[in-house]
Amino acid sequence: MERLDGDWIGGYLFVGNRLALDFLNTRLVDGDQDVEKLPDWAAFSRWCVAAGIGPADEGRTGEGRIGEIRGFRERLREAVTSLENGKAPAGEFLAEVNSLLSRYPARVVLDAGADGVAKRTNYEGFWGAMAAAVAELLTSTELHRLRKCEHCIVHFYDVSKKGSRRWCSMGMCGNRVKVAAYQKRRREEG
């Protein structure tokens, strides 16, 4: 499943256009096979670096916590699927995200630079960044642009001008769809 195009960073797929969706897409289906991209703490830490969050040490041992992180990802999947189906996420999930937002608040800091003063938001590790990303996804996303690829398990936020994107990326499913349509036309013509 590994590709060498711009959709992949450090072995992880980044086509969701939202951090929370890219996290969701760390479990993929390649044909009939489920592909877990976060099998252990080291892989999770590499994903955090690729996502721009930074190393996932958070001052704790990680191996015992990878199940907790993957469990959150699957509850996020249920919430996103609910949104895609026009329903609100479960109240329990919202309560979980609210708890994370309370425990890992974002901190705004100012930096002086050559172009003036810039505002930067700091998050406390993975949970702080993910809680903020999920809150952003749930509150500031045009829900009609939140989609699951028609051909695989990948979820994405459609940022295309027309808002008509149907597949996760051109390099993956989009190319397969176009080749299959071309081959079908050729068979029908010949």
Side-chain angles (χ1 to χ4, degrees):
M1 184 128 199
E2 184 86 14
R3 304 259 186 220
L4 298 176
D5 60 27
D7 298 338
W8 294 88
I9 301 171
Y12 300 96
L13 184 62
F14 288 91
V15 296
N17 296 312
R18 297 291 185 268
L19 179 63
L21 296 176
D22 288 328
F23 175 61
L24 191 63
N25 293 331
T26 58
R27 193 183 111 224
L28 303 169
V29 173
D30 188 10
D32 294 331
Q33 184 179 3
D34 195 32
V35 178
E36 175 59 68
K37 299 297 282 182
L38 304 177
D40 55 33
W41 190 259
F44 171 67
S45 187
R46 285 191 305 275
W47 180 84
C48 287
V49 170
I53 297 171
D57 58 34
E58 296 187 22
R60 301 180 182 117
T61 59
E63 287 304 328
R65 299 189 62 233
I66 194 66
E68 174 187 348
I69 289 162
R70 289 192 305 238
F72 179 81
R73 180 191 60 198
E74 297 313 309
R75 291 186 296 280
L76 173 60
R77 185 178 315 281
E78 291 172 11
V80 168
T81 300
S82 290
L83 290 172
E84 290 168 345
N85 293 322
K87 299 177 184 169
E92 296 84 11
F93 182 73
L94 296 178
E96 180 179 12
V97 174
N98 280 331
S99 175
L100 289 170
L101 289 167
S102 176
R103 286 190 318 219
Y104 302 97
R107 291 176 176 81
V108 176
V109 296
L110 300 176
D111 291 324
D115 297 330
V117 177
K119 181 172 78 170
R120 181 173 40 93
T121 305
N122 288 339
Y123 302 101
E124 189 178 329
F126 166 77
W127 288 114
M130 189 52 56
V134 170
E136 180 73 18
L137 179 73
L138 297 178
T139 61
S140 301
T141 300
E142 296 176 71
L143 297 181
H144 67 278
R145 288 181 175 256
L146 186 61
R147 308 222 169 87
K148 180 181 170 288
C149 179
E150 290 182 2
H151 303 282
C152 72
I153 195 172
V154 172
H155 295 265
F156 62 92
Y157 180 69
D158 181 4
V159 295
S160 68
K161 189 172 187 176
K162 292 183 179 181
S164 59
R165 183 174 150 199
R166 297 180 1 230
W167 48 75
C168 56
S169 80
M170 183 54 77
M172 292 175 54
C173 293
N175 192 45
R176 281 187 264 172
V177 170
K178 288 186 173 200
V179 167
Y182 172 77
Q183 290 173 342
K184 181 180 177 187
R185 283 192 307 273
R186 297 258 334 211
R187 282 191 304 272
E188 291 171 353
E189 292 170 358

